[in-house]
Amino acid sequence: MTSPKIDANQLELFAQELVAALEPSPTPAPTPAARPVAPAPLFKAPPVPTRVLPIPPVGPNDPPLRKIQLGSHTVHYVLRRSARRSHGFMVCDDGLFVTSPNRAPLDDIERAIRAKQRWILTKLFERGERRAQRAERPPLEWVDGAQLPYLGADITLRLEPAARSRCVYDADTRTLHLGVTPGLATWQVRERVKLWFQDEAKRIFGERLDLYAPRVGVTYNAFAISSAGTRWGSCTVAGNIRLNWKLVHYPLALLDYVVVHELAHLREMNHSPAFWAVVGEVFPDYDGAKAALKKRSVEMPVLFPDE
């Protein structure tokens, strides 16, 4: 064991205290006791960030939220009933959603939640931090020259006086021309551009689904676009696929990953190792795509705050 180092100033201080203790001293006049003064900190520690758990919104006709204590955290969640035979959990930006069998008692549901509490809390914290980061970013200003994300790169919005409000995209110059009629409000400009993005998403999704379905070895029934807040896609056993139109903002490779992911569900309606093996047959770097999609979703500018 090594003894702590003592510098010369400390030795001198200790010697003075020892001499003072040995020498008799006159009885001092009573003085008010001085309060000990805490030494000033050498630096100010950064504030500890507050970790906020998202709470699902409740509409006027919705049932009240349920809550459960997981460690030191109170978690609010939406409970849905269905004909399924097991408990399902979904964590999104709006919070925790639990789907349980119709006849499952509440005690059984809470036991299932506690069994998954580590995963649930981790995902809730991630979503809460993502929402906080997104709220800090200012929304896009819909002015001439605004930069809009399209297939992983920026395109330039040009607002031009016109008799008819319509979008025309010039791929050579990467410019989206929007005709602005007299009196067109900013929110109308935003909505018109959103419609253009949604039309582009439909076109591109159709092309990519038809490209990858034979490679996955499946046939899908139909597809549609969605405006889900957090889900990039979904697939039913009937072969109906829904894809989030906001994927059109991301690089084509990430869009392709989601397309392959949903097509793979037509072979494996789960997220088992067998499912990921199907995805890997066509899209080997699915782990990298998942990470990139998560990272870019945090960095994406706020185009449509209400979505």
Side-chain angles (χ1 to χ4, degrees):
M1 178 182 299
T2 59
S3 60
K5 293 183 179 180
I6 302 177
D7 61 28
N9 291 332
Q10 287 178 312
L11 288 172
E12 182 181 356
L13 177 62
F14 295 156
Q16 291 173 354
E17 290 178 347
L18 178 60
V19 172
L22 295 176
E23 290 182 353
S25 58
T27 305
T31 57
R35 288 187 176 181
V37 179
L42 297 178
F43 62 92
K44 186 176 181 181
V48 178
T50 303
R51 307 188 78 183
V52 179
L53 295 177
I55 299 177
V58 179
N61 299 321
D62 294 334
L65 294 176
R66 294 192 174 274
K67 62 181 179 179
I68 184 172
Q69 195 70 25
L70 300 181
S72 59
H73 305 285
T74 302
V75 175
H76 295 78
Y77 65 96
V78 173
L79 176 61
R80 297 166 174 163
R81 298 286 187 166
S82 76
R84 62 181 296 154
R85 291 181 292 179
S86 60
H87 303 284
F89 305 96
M90 184 183 74
V91 176
C92 64
D93 285 357
D94 287 334
L96 173 62
F97 294 79
V98 180
T99 305
S100 294
N102 288 321
R103 296 185 179 181
L106 187 58
D107 288 347
D108 185 43
I109 296 170
E110 292 187 347
R111 277 194 297 271
I113 295 174
R114 289 193 170 91
K116 296 275 290 185
Q117 67 176 345
R118 183 174 181 179
W119 178 86
I120 289 171
L121 288 174
T122 298
K123 293 298 182 183
L124 284 174
F125 284 135
E126 288 178 358
R127 295 291 186 173
E129 290 169 5
R130 192 170 82 172
R131 286 186 65 175
Q133 292 173 357
R134 186 174 178 83
E136 291 174 357
R137 298 199 305 273
L140 178 82
E141 292 187 22
W142 292 91
V143 296
D144 183 65
Q147 299 296 297
L148 309 174
Y150 174 64
L151 294 181
D154 285 343
I155 61 175
T156 302
L157 176 65
R158 288 299 178 198
L159 304 180
E160 302 164 346
R164 179 185 175 191
S165 178
R166 59 191 296 264
C167 287
V168 177
Y169 178 59
D170 186 333
D172 293 332
T173 62
R174 297 190 60 80
T175 303
L176 181 63
H177 300 270
L178 173 59
V180 179
T181 57
L184 194 69
T186 300
W187 71 267
Q188 292 172 307
V189 171
R190 184 178 64 240
E191 290 302 307
R192 187 65 192 86
V193 173
K194 183 198 290 186
L195 290 174
W196 179 81
F197 273 127
Q198 291 175 339
D199 288 341
E200 285 293 289
K202 290 177 185 177
R203 177 182 65 81
I204 296 170
F205 290 161
E207 293 174 356
R208 308 315 280 181
L209 284 165
D210 290 344
L211 173 66
Y212 283 105
R215 300 185 187 183
V216 180
V218 297
T219 302
Y220 68 94
N221 180 45
F223 83 92
I225 64 171
S226 78
S227 299
T230 57
R231 298 186 69 179
W232 292 120
S234 63
C235 179
T236 69
V237 292
N240 297 320
I241 291 175
R242 292 174 63 84
L243 297 167
N244 195 314
W245 68 264
K246 290 185 283 294
L247 283 166
V248 77
H249 299 315
Y250 295 81
L252 190 60
L254 300 185
L255 188 153
D256 285 347
Y257 157 68
V258 179
V259 167
V260 172
H261 183 115
E262 299 309 326
L263 288 170
H265 278 308
L266 295 176
R267 286 174 57 182
E268 295 286 341
M269 289 298 293
N270 50 56
H271 286 107
S272 66
F275 164 80
W276 290 111
V278 173
V279 176
E281 292 173 6
V282 181
F283 204 104
D285 189 26
Y286 57 81
D287 279 333
K290 283 195 295 182
L293 197 55
K294 180 184 294 186
K295 181 176 183 294
R296 284 184 174 253
S297 66
V298 174
E299 300 169 347
M300 186 66 61
V302 181
L303 272 70
F304 309 102
D306 298 334
E307 288 290 339

